[in-house]
Structure formats: C-alpha cells, structure tokens
C-alpha cells in the first residue's frame, strides 16, 4: 500500500540515447575541385603545344633558338597535361563507381576512361596505329553522349549536357570523316569530298556547342552578353583577320604566326565551309574556354568541363583531346549529382553578398 502523498506511478526509466543517424553516402566529390585548374592548364597546353609552339620556328630572323625553346616548352606542357589528365581520369572514374550512376553510364565511364588512358599513354611512348586512335575517339564520343543523356535531367547542368551531346555528335562526324579518308575506294576524290561534307556537319555542331557555351558564360551575369564573352569573340575576330592576312608574301610576323596557328587548329579533313568560318571557330574555341574559366560561378567543375570540351573540340582521334573529352564527361555527370556541394556554394555566396553573379545556376536544382 502506498502512503499518502507518495506517487503511485512507477519511476520513469531513464531514456536511452537517441540512435545515431545512419551514415549517408557522400554526395560531394572532392576530386571535382581539381577539374577547373586542370582545364586551365589544358587550355594553356593546347595554345602553346598545339597552336603557337610549332608555329614559331622560322618565323623571323634571330628567333631560331627562342623558337626551339618555345616549341620545347609547348611539348613539355603537353606531356605534363597528359600526366595530370591521366591521374584526373582515374580519380574521376573511381568516383563514378560509387556515385550511384545508372549501370550503363557507370560501366561505360570505367571502360572508356581505362581504354583512353591506356592508348594515350601508349601514344606518348610509341606510334599508335591510326585505326586505334579512331576507335578511341569514337569511344570517347559515345561516353560524351551517355553523359549528356544522364545529365540532361539536372537543370543546373543542362547547358553542359547540351554541349556534351553536340560535341559528341560532332566528334563522331569527325571520326566518320577520318574513316572515309582511310578507306581505299575506287574514287578517292569522291570519298574525300564526302569526308569534307561530313567534317562540315561536325563543324556546324561544334559551332552550335560554342553558342551554348557563350550563353552559359553570359547567363552567369543574368544578361545576354558579358564582358568575358565579348572579349573572347573580339579576340577571335581579330585573330581570324590577322590569320587570313598572313597568307600574303608581305604579311607581318604576327599575321604569319596566327596563320600557322590556325592551320594547326583547323579540322582535318577540312570542311567545305569558308576558310573564314573555319578559322574563326578554331580561334573562338580557346577564347571562349578562357572566358568560361575566368567567370565566377557556383559550379566551377562545370566551367572546367566546358573548357575541356572546347579543348577537345573536333579532334577526338587525337589522344590528348580524347582524354580531355573523357574528363569533361566524367566531371559533368559527377557535378550534376553534387547537390550538397552546390548548396554549400550557395550558402557561401549568400553569406558574402546579398546577390552575386551566377545565382541563376541554382534555379531548379534540388538537393539529393
């Protein structure tokens, strides 16, 4: 019996500690932080190692040794980019394995990155058969199309996905054109003309992808144009004008240099389009890549992917360009799933300023 004033309720048992929250798989990929610096180095390696480095030799009297040094520096930068890109492709491929991608994208990414890395490393040590290079270029383009299909559903990465699709199709056109030239047909002139027509289709697709890149850079400031895109297009126009003037006998040294650089950057087989258009597209690609890298954005990995796509534009059968295309594809599919990193960037941007450039990227983005 209980006495008066004594509680008849049993003493409450001590509450157990709440269960620890279940650990969630990581949704922020630290390797994405290296994509933008790697893309910047890739643009420099493209300009120095592919465009201007080989063009300085014999440009003017007294530049013999300086030209050799510049060409050697371009080759060294290309080799260093090869090492960095190989490490980056392996790191992104491992991240893709644990990112919850669809099976076809996940295994396609692993297969394509492994094959491209293997052939690229082989090409740096010895001569690789042209058929193998064309095969690797086609595999890299197919991976770009798979990445575009997978990323198209993410609103803030849709512009990069469109570029992946356009440049992937353009790269396949380039691969088809090279295959036509490689064939020993009965009418080689007819095949060569068909190959140039297919190359023209690739050039049109590349131009559409570059227009998307210009819109992406301009949208960071919520305007139709931006100083970065205007400067890039102005530089491309000036370089095109000087390069076309560099074919005359009395051309200045700068014009001759730009004419040689344009010859190194223009697609092979040459498209049926006007040389003015082909030269402008060749110079506009690296200029827009620099504009994309120099523009502030909440998703720097996507800016780096766009720059890598422009580096690889039109040349998937070149080992370094195929590697850049693989890097851009892997970075895009991973950045499209890094919602936690996106919202962290939005939080940092809101804490530093009430309104900053590039906030339009977050529209339609949903945390994973």
């Amino acid at each position: 019996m209980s006495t008066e004033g004594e509680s008849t309720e049993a003493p409450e048992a001590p509450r157990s500690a709440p269960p620890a929250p279940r650990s969630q798989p990581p949704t922020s990929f630290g390797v994405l932080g290296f994509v933008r610096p790697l893309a910047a180095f890739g643009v420099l390696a493209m300009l120095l190692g592919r465009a201007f480095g080989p063009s300085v030799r014999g440009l003017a009297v007294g530049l013999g040794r300086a030209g050799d040094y510049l060409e050697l520096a371009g080759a060294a930068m290309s080799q260093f980019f090869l090492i960095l890109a190989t490490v980056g492709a392996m790191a992104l491929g491992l991240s893709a394995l644990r990112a919850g991608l669809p099976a076809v994208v996940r295994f396609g990414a692993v297969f394509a990155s492994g094959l491209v890395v293997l052939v690229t490393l082989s090409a740096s040590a010895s001569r690789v058969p042209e058929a193998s290079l064309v095969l690797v270029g086609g595999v890299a383009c197919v991976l770009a199309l798979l990445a575009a299909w997978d990323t198209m559903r993410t609103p803030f990465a849709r512009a990069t996905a469109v570029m992946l699709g356009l440049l992937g199709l353009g790269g396949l056109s380039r691969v088809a054109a090279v295959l036509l030239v490689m064939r020993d047909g009965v009418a080689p002139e007819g095949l060569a003309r068909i190959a140039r027509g297919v190359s023209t289709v690739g050039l049109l697709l590349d131009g559409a992808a570059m227009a998307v890149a210009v819109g992406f850079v301009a949208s960071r400031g919520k305007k139709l144009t931006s100083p970065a895109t205007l400067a890039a297009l102005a530089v491309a126009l000036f370089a095109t004008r000087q390069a076309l003037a560099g074919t005359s006998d009395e051309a200045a040294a700068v014009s001759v240099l730009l004419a040689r650089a344009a010859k190194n950057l223009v697609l092979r087989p040459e498209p049926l389009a006007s040389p003015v258009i082909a030269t402008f597209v060749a110079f506009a690609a690296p200029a827009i890549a620099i504009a994309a890298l120099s523009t502030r954005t909440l998703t720097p990995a996507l800016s780096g992917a766009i720059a890598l796509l422009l580096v690889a534009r039109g040349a998937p059968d070149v080992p370094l360009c195929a590697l850049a295309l693989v890097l851009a594809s892997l970075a895009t599919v991973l950045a499209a799933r890094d919602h936690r990193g996106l919202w962290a960037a939005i939080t940092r941007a809101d804490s530093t300023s009430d309104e900053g450039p590039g906030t339009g990227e977050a529209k339609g983005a949903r945390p994973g």
Side-chain angles (χ1 to χ4, degrees):
M1 297 180 59
S2 61
T3 59
E4 185 178 358
E6 185 179 351
S7 175
T8 58
E9 297 180 358
E12 182 179 359
R15 296 182 180 179
S16 59
R22 183 179 299 177
S23 60
Q24 297 179 354
T27 57
S28 181
F29 307 96
V31 70
L32 291 176
F34 299 96
V35 173
R36 190 172 187 174
L38 181 60
F41 192 84
V43 174
L44 292 177
M46 170 193 179
L47 291 175
L48 190 59
R50 181 182 169 190
F52 294 105
S55 305
V56 178
R57 183 183 295 272
L59 184 63
V61 179
L63 286 180
R65 182 166 297 180
D68 293 340
Y69 288 153
L70 188 60
E71 187 175 2
L72 182 61
M77 288 190 68
S78 298
Q79 290 297 321
F80 192 45
F81 175 69
L82 167 63
I83 297 173
L84 294 178
T86 300
V87 175
M90 294 173 63
L92 290 172
L94 292 176
S95 298
L97 285 175
R98 47 194 290 264
L101 302 175
V104 62
V105 179
R106 182 169 64 252
F107 293 111
V110 174
F111 173 76
S113 58
L115 179 63
V116 172
V117 166
L118 179 62
V119 174
T120 303
L121 291 177
S122 301
S124 64
S126 60
R127 185 177 180 84
V128 177
E130 190 173 0
S132 299
L133 298 179
V134 173
L135 173 63
V136 167
V139 170
C141 293
V142 171
L143 176 61
L145 294 177
L146 286 175
W149 166 77
D150 179 70
T151 314
M152 193 67 70
R153 294 169 292 181
T154 305
F156 66 88
R158 192 163 292 157
T160 313
V162 172
M163 284 192 64
L164 273 172
L166 291 173
L167 290 175
L169 292 175
L172 288 178
S173 300
R174 155 74 179 174
V175 169
V178 174
L179 287 175
L180 287 173
V181 174
M182 288 172 56
R183 290 184 55 185
D184 297 328
V186 179
E189 294 183 0
L191 284 177
R193 189 167 183 84
I194 294 175
R196 293 186 62 187
V198 176
S199 182
T200 305
V201 174
L203 179 65
L204 294 176
L205 292 171
D206 292 348
M210 291 167 60
V212 175
V214 171
F216 173 85
V217 176
S219 65
R220 303 311 93 188
K222 300 181 180 180
K223 297 179 182 179
L224 294 177
T225 59
S226 68
T229 55
L230 290 178
L233 295 177
V235 169
L237 285 173
F238 173 79
T240 301
R241 182 180 180 278
Q242 294 298 117
L244 294 176
T247 56
S248 62
D249 297 334
E250 299 179 356
V254 175
S255 298
V256 175
L257 176 64
L258 291 173
R260 294 179 179 178
K263 187 176 180 181
N264 294 331
L265 293 175
V266 171
L267 302 177
R268 299 292 186 276
E270 294 185 3
L272 296 174
S274 169
V276 178
I277 299 176
T279 304
F280 174 76
V281 171
F283 283 123
I288 296 174
I290 294 174
L293 292 172
S294 61
T295 302
R296 183 182 176 186
T297 175
L298 294 177
T299 52
L302 293 180
S303 298
I306 287 176
L308 288 170
L309 285 173
L310 294 174
V311 167
R313 179 204 67 87
D317 56 321
V318 177
L320 279 180
C321 294
L323 191 56
L325 186 56
V326 169
L327 284 171
S329 303
L330 294 176
T332 302
V333 294
L334 292 177
R337 283 167 170 76
D338 190 20
H339 299 288
R340 185 174 299 177
L342 174 64
W343 287 116
I346 294 174
T347 303
R348 289 194 300 268
D350 291 340
S351 63
T352 55
S353 61
D354 294 335
E355 182 178 357
T359 56
E361 283 178 79
K363 291 183 178 180
R366 297 179 180 178

